[in-house]
Amino acid sequence: MEDKRSKVAVIPCDDYDEEKVYISIKRGLDAIGGIGSFVRSEEKILVKPNLLSAAAPDKALTTHPSVLKAVFRILSESGCNDVITGDSPGHGSCDGAFKTMGLTEKDIYGARFTPMNEEVHVEYEDGIACREFYFCKEIIESDAIINVCKMKTHALERITGAVKNVYGFICGYRKAQGHVKFPNDTVFARMLADIHRYTKPRLHIMDGITAMEGNGPAAGTPVDMKVILMSDDPVALDTVYCYLVDLDPELIPTNSQGMRMGIGTDEEDKIDILLCDGERNRSVTKDELFKLYGNGSFDVSRSKPPKSFLNRYSGIMTRLSRRPVINRDLCVKCGICVEHCPVPGKAVEFKNGKEKPPVYDYSKCIRCYCCQEMCPRHAIKPGRGLL
Ligand code: SF4
Ligand code: SF4
């Protein structure tokens, strides 16, 4: 990325009233150059929400329909009439997720739903972490992508925001394999940065009106943050999300690796935060922003990674590290965690028969948290302690 300052617009918005959300998103877009500076009317545009799985909007798992409707409305008003929308959830269908959130064709201003279930193999010679991808065909066929992500926590990467949301560009059933190929938070983040480098989404909009804290990205707790963020720089946007929840942006692998790989910046002095409240937009510092709209008790992992000398004692660190744990009282023995564990030979299995909850083999577990993400009963949480 050339040496320029990245603009991140922060627009306070109290709730999901459709008109309020529309006005807020329009105002934010105008603050960073207007929709016309990101897409042209003759282009085929993909609007990519976070549709992790089928869930009612108030659960805060998915981008809220009011945010999506506002984006479709703005695109339609700008003369963009070749707009598609979809995602490739790891579990269930995109169609099911849209239906559950109550979004129908009449709500999307002439845009079209697309299933994102056909893949295209792509070689990427310039890839740093990854030189081939299996993208959903819509990713390749679109001229421009608008990434409409959700402000949530994430067991592997601590947060999921603009950088992480592009993992939905990969066809759903391939996602688990990606965790085996990129088995820790750092290499996984580098692979995500390569997806950004290849696909170059033009604009990132974050639904942070009701965010998810705690056991995200699927089983956390909705929490009002009352903001929408937007930028053409996904790392800067996620960095401002960190400022709002009092989290060191450098702790987030998608920020640190994203910056190293040139998809954006997490450096405070290279980010202009444009606060769009009151009569006029104004630039604010991260401290001013936090004072006005921050939430220091947002439940997210703020622990520092172990010091490098401790890594030498890797046996001890492995035994002390975070790992998924099943709450036996919540588990209904459905086996979805076993099905989605990507490790050959499975790191979670019904060792004691299907009448009892599955059991982990932590010596095989790569801590990808696919099991935690997919558990429909929210029975799996990251835990810590001696194994
Ligand atoms: S997915 Fe959840 S509920 Fe189903 S078996 Fe695994 S832990 Fe139990
Ligand atoms: S047990 Fe869970 S966290 Fe461990 S490798 Fe399997 S899916 Fe990933």
Side-chain angles (χ1 to χ4, degrees):
M1 168 167 283
E2 69 199 68
D3 192 22
K4 60 158 190 154
R5 292 175 67 80
S6 291
K7 284 183 189 164
V8 180
V10 179
I11 315 99
C13 187
D14 285 347
D15 57 49
Y16 286 110
D17 174 85
E18 283 181 22
E19 199 59 24
K20 266 194 220 169
V21 173
Y22 164 76
I23 290 166
S24 301
I25 293 185
K26 208 160 166 27
R27 179 167 179 181
L29 282 171
D30 290 342
I32 57 172
I35 188 71
S37 59
F38 301 104
V39 292
R40 294 191 304 276
S41 59
E42 68 275 17
E43 288 183 310
K44 179 172 190 139
I45 300 161
L46 171 67
V47 174
K48 157 61 174 86
N50 182 331
L51 299 182
L52 180 69
S53 60
D58 62 351
K59 302 283 181 211
L61 250 84
T62 51
T63 308
H64 196 281
S66 293
V67 173
L68 291 171
K69 282 185 201 176
V71 174
F72 297 132
R73 182 172 163 191
I74 290 164
L75 287 170
S76 166
E77 288 168 351
S78 311
C80 300
N81 53 25
D82 192 3
V83 179
I84 56 173
T85 186
D87 192 5
S88 189
H91 186 59
S93 70
C94 167
D95 189 39
F98 277 129
K99 273 196 185 121
T100 308
M101 68 163 63
L103 207 61
T104 65
E105 266 183 8
K106 69 176 172 33
D107 299 316
I108 60 174
Y109 295 86
R112 300 177 318 277
F113 294 118
T114 187
M116 292 189 53
N117 56 10
E118 267 182 62
E119 68 182 12
V120 177
H121 179 244
V122 169
E123 304 270 353
Y124 183 29
E125 270 185 22
D126 294 334
I128 297 170
C130 189
R131 296 202 163 176
E132 63 168 348
F133 290 106
Y134 289 88
F135 285 128
C136 301
K137 78 171 171 33
E138 291 85 347
I139 301 300
I140 304 304
E141 291 175 356
S142 301
D143 301 310
I145 299 171
I146 301 180
N147 177 22
V148 193
C149 56
K150 183 83 179 170
M151 181 186 276
K152 295 195 290 180
T153 48
H154 196 272
L156 178 66
E157 302 287 349
R158 296 178 193 239
I159 65 163
T160 167
V163 177
K164 171 70 180 54
N165 200 38
V166 300
Y167 202 43
F169 294 0
I170 307 287
C171 260
Y173 78 101
R174 292 260 179 204
K175 288 202 172 98
Q177 295 169 8
H179 284 285
V180 175
K181 206 166 162 196
F182 304 97
N184 63 51
D185 55 357
T186 304
V187 292
F188 195 79
R190 291 172 69 74
M191 177 274 296
L192 293 171
D194 265 339
I195 297 182
H196 278 267
R197 291 174 66 240
Y198 187 89
T199 59
K200 299 184 173 51
R202 303 254 185 97
L203 172 66
H204 309 271
I205 300 175
M206 177 178 278
D207 167 13
I209 299 175
T210 301
M212 177 182 280
E213 63 176 352
N215 192 23
T221 309
V223 55
D224 284 343
M225 290 295 293
K226 300 189 177 183
V227 284
I228 297 167
L229 274 54
M230 62 186 73
S231 181
D232 63 356
D233 177 338
V235 178
L237 187 150
D238 286 351
T239 298
V240 174
Y241 163 14
C242 291
Y243 295 159
L244 283 162
V245 298
D246 193 25
L247 174 63
D248 177 357
E250 267 291 307
L251 286 178
I252 309 302
T254 47
N255 285 345
S256 52
Q257 299 306 319
M259 171 146 155
R260 277 176 203 126
M261 287 172 62
I263 63 164
T265 183
D266 68 358
E267 289 179 319
E268 190 183 343
D269 62 357
K270 293 203 174 132
I271 300 175
D272 276 337
I273 305 170
L274 292 170
L275 185 58
C276 305
D277 67 352
E279 301 250 311
R280 300 175 60 177
N281 303 336
R282 58 206 163 107
S283 287
V284 292
T285 64
K286 69 171 190 178
D287 294 335
E288 286 165 336
L289 178 71
F290 181 78
K291 216 167 162 185
L292 288 165
Y293 297 102
N295 173 1
S297 56
F298 187 92
D299 183 6
V300 61
S301 170
R302 296 182 178 81
S303 59
K304 306 258 185 239
K307 293 226 165 19
S308 58
F309 77 89
L310 280 178
N311 286 333
R312 284 188 220 143
Y313 303 96
S314 56
I316 298 171
M317 290 321 296
T318 303
R319 282 160 63 83
L320 288 170
S321 66
R322 270 157 48 103
R323 81 280 192 215
V325 176
I326 294 175
N327 179 330
R328 299 172 69 86
D329 296 334
L330 295 178
C331 176
V332 292
K333 297 113 187 164
C334 64
I336 288 174
C337 53
V338 179
E339 187 193 324
H340 284 274
C341 176
V343 169
K346 302 288 178 189
V348 57
E349 270 196 287
F350 285 107
K351 287 215 172 98
N352 304 318
K354 293 197 172 167
E355 301 306 308
K356 300 225 167 105
V359 174
Y360 285 102
D361 178 346
Y362 292 116
S363 66
K364 282 189 191 163
C365 175
I366 58 171
R367 275 66 163 173
C368 66
Y369 292 99
C370 291
C371 52
Q372 176 253 9
E373 195 167 315
M374 294 300 159
C375 172
R377 306 300 297 209
H378 303 170
I380 305 176
K381 267 191 173 179
R384 196 184 282 279
L386 211 53
L387 306 181

